[in-house]
Amino acid sequence: MSENGRSALSLLRVCVFLVSIVSVIAVSNPFQHQTLVLNPLPSAQALSWSESEALSAESTLLPSRESSSAVSVQLHHIDSLSSNMTPQALFHLRLQRDAARASSLSSLAAAAAAGPRGRHTTNATLAGFSSSVVSGLAQGSGEYFTRLGVGTPPRYLYMVLDTGSDVVWIQCAPCRRCYSQVDPIFNPSKSRSFKAIPCQSPLCRRLDSPGCSTRRRSCLYQVSYGDGSFTFGDFSTETLTFRGTRVTGVALGCGHNNEGLFVGAAGLLGLGRGRLSFPSQTGRRFSYKFSYCLVDRSASSKPSSILFGSSAVSRTAHFTPLVKNPNLDTFYYVDLIGISVGGARVPGINPSLFRLDAVGGGGVIIDSGTSVTRLTRPAYVALRDAFRAGTTGLKRAADFSLFDTCYDLSGKTDVKVPTVVLHFRGADVSLPAANYLIPVDTGGTFCFAFAGTLSGLSIIGNIQQQGFRVSFDLVGSRVGFAPGACA
């Protein structure tokens, strides 16, 4: 064989060897994908509460159940109260609420970390009493609501459910100032179970800044919001009815003076971790456990739901410990230690980016009222770049609102996208594709549903929680994720 022939043969052998090496690497480290079925933006679904309304009528004739150790109710998205709007208009409104919600939660966390000097105090002082409690309902924090009976006999009202708030409250007659709601204002004088809380009661002292009516010697509450909205009135105990099951002696605010950009619900059912939240107040009865399942409204006709009681914790859930913030007991903090894209850990995303510091700054919370997951900016940029690297075959589209990674998928019925896994301490949560690539208009534009934040607080939003039964075990101090457990 000639010298040129031997050289060509050697070169061929080298090429075959390199191809073999590349093939071995590709097989051992495949870029994992999953299929995303492309569904359009969801329309607002018509409300249907026939069961609850029937129970409301029956409850005046039949005794309610008081001994039940578990209760479940359906949840509806707040868009259902705006059924006359187009899907695209609803989505724009949702993003506006979401931006305000995330800002409100971040401000509250920052104020708590700054200590007493950093806390916001409302300018409104009613009856010589003010409060530093801040929440996000006025900015649209309540994305999901249900219908509960209040009082005896029960009057059914729309109530927003919120894991980022503690105090339970409703609007009450007589109204000195009330915002518009769908149902008639609740009148406590027509309820046999309504009781004012005395000023010296331990329940009254649980409020951050309790007030006292000097004339009636009864407890007053005020919850204020970052935009100046507030609810103020009597702190009382009342009976709540969930689909025929009565829960007595629930401490709630009966608001006679309420102002702000509140959606048409009558009030709020606080599901936070603080002492006055509904799960904390009813812990002995419901074993300090509750869970919710939020369905993808564009792909499922099943209703979302919330469950209180021992059965709320799914046996198939993957659990991660709750982390305690020394200065803020409302939020559900967890340890996020990494994120994988396409089957590989994203370089640059490490636990230090999400750590809760000694004064309560930073950290990661699970929140039902925020839609889009926010990650600290360095973590988001690393995640976004890894996802872009796995979607080079998809046609890019212009940025949309807070989303900077969007694709033109018009004309397609499904696409392959990289897998995304959130690694919590002790629990790996593999997200369905619909939980991170979502439709944003009616023209086939889909965007990566994460965003960066300059705040130290990262928030796991409800889009990423869709399809999971998210279980909160307050005794075990843990939160669990069970995929496909929404039945």
Side-chain angles (χ1 to χ4, degrees), residues 425-466:
R425 190 170 304 282
D428 296 332
V429 179
S430 181
L431 299 179
N435 288 27
Y436 54 86
L437 196 61
I438 64 170
V440 298
D441 62 21
T442 55
T445 304
F446 282 69
C447 294
F448 190 50
F450 286 82
T453 177
L454 298 177
S455 161
L457 181 70
S458 295
I459 306 170
I460 307 299
N462 59 48
I463 291 175
Q464 282 65 42
Q465 298 175 51
Q466 286 178 167

Side-chain angles (χ1 to χ4, degrees), residues 266-483:
L268 181 142
L269 191 74
L271 299 177
R273 206 176 171 189
R275 294 183 300 170
L276 285 173
S277 73
F278 182 77
S280 295
Q281 287 194 56
T282 60
R284 290 188 178 181
R285 177 166 180 176
F286 295 127
S287 304
Y288 292 95
K289 295 178 175 68
F290 74 97
S291 66
Y292 56 72
C293 200
L294 310 176
V295 301
D296 179 355
R297 294 177 294 125
S298 66
S300 175
S301 59
K302 293 180 180 178
S304 298
S305 63
I306 188 165
L307 175 62
F308 297 94
S310 295
S311 57
V313 176
S314 173
R315 295 180 180 178
T316 62
H318 301 282
F319 285 96
T320 184
L322 286 169
V323 178
K324 185 176 179 58
N325 185 330
N327 291 323
L328 185 61
D329 60 1
T330 299
F331 297 161
Y332 292 96
Y333 284 88
V334 292
D335 276 332
L336 182 62
I337 59 177
I339 303 176
S340 291
V341 173
R345 289 287 187 113
V346 178
I349 297 183
N350 56 68
S352 64
L353 295 176
F354 307 114
R355 188 166 292 129
L356 185 67
D357 63 33
V359 296
V364 180
I365 65 171
I366 306 292
D367 184 48
S368 65
T370 303
S371 291
V372 179
T373 289
R374 265 79 170 178
L375 301 175
T376 55
R377 185 69 187 172
Y380 170 70
V381 170
L383 171 63
R384 177 201 64 191
D385 291 349
F387 187 79
R388 287 178 176 177
T391 55
T392 53
L394 300 180
K395 181 181 178 181
R396 288 289 299 275
D399 296 355
F400 185 95
S401 184
L402 77 168
F403 302 124
D404 64 5
T405 301
C406 299
Y407 304 88
D408 178 3
L409 304 181
S410 56
K412 299 180 182 294
T413 57
D414 60 69
V415 293
K416 296 285 188 181
V417 294
T419 57
V420 175
V421 180
L422 303 180
H423 300 288
F424 298 100
R425 190 170 304 282
D428 296 332
V429 179
S430 181
L431 299 179
N435 288 27
Y436 54 86
L437 196 61
I438 64 170
V440 298
D441 62 21
T442 55
T445 304
F446 282 69
C447 294
F448 190 50
F450 286 82
T453 177
L454 298 177
S455 161
L457 181 70
S458 295
I459 306 170
I460 307 299
N462 59 48
I463 291 175
Q464 282 65 42
Q465 298 175 51
Q466 286 178 167
F468 291 88
R469 180 154 292 280
V470 183
S471 303
F472 298 84
D473 178 359
L474 304 187
V475 172
S477 190
R478 58 182 187 162
V479 59
F481 303 87

Side-chain angles (χ1 to χ4, degrees), residues 122-142:
T122 178
N123 292 326
T125 302
L126 303 174
F129 151 66
S130 64
S131 171
S132 60
V133 179
V134 179
S135 182
L137 179 66
Q139 296 85 12
S141 69

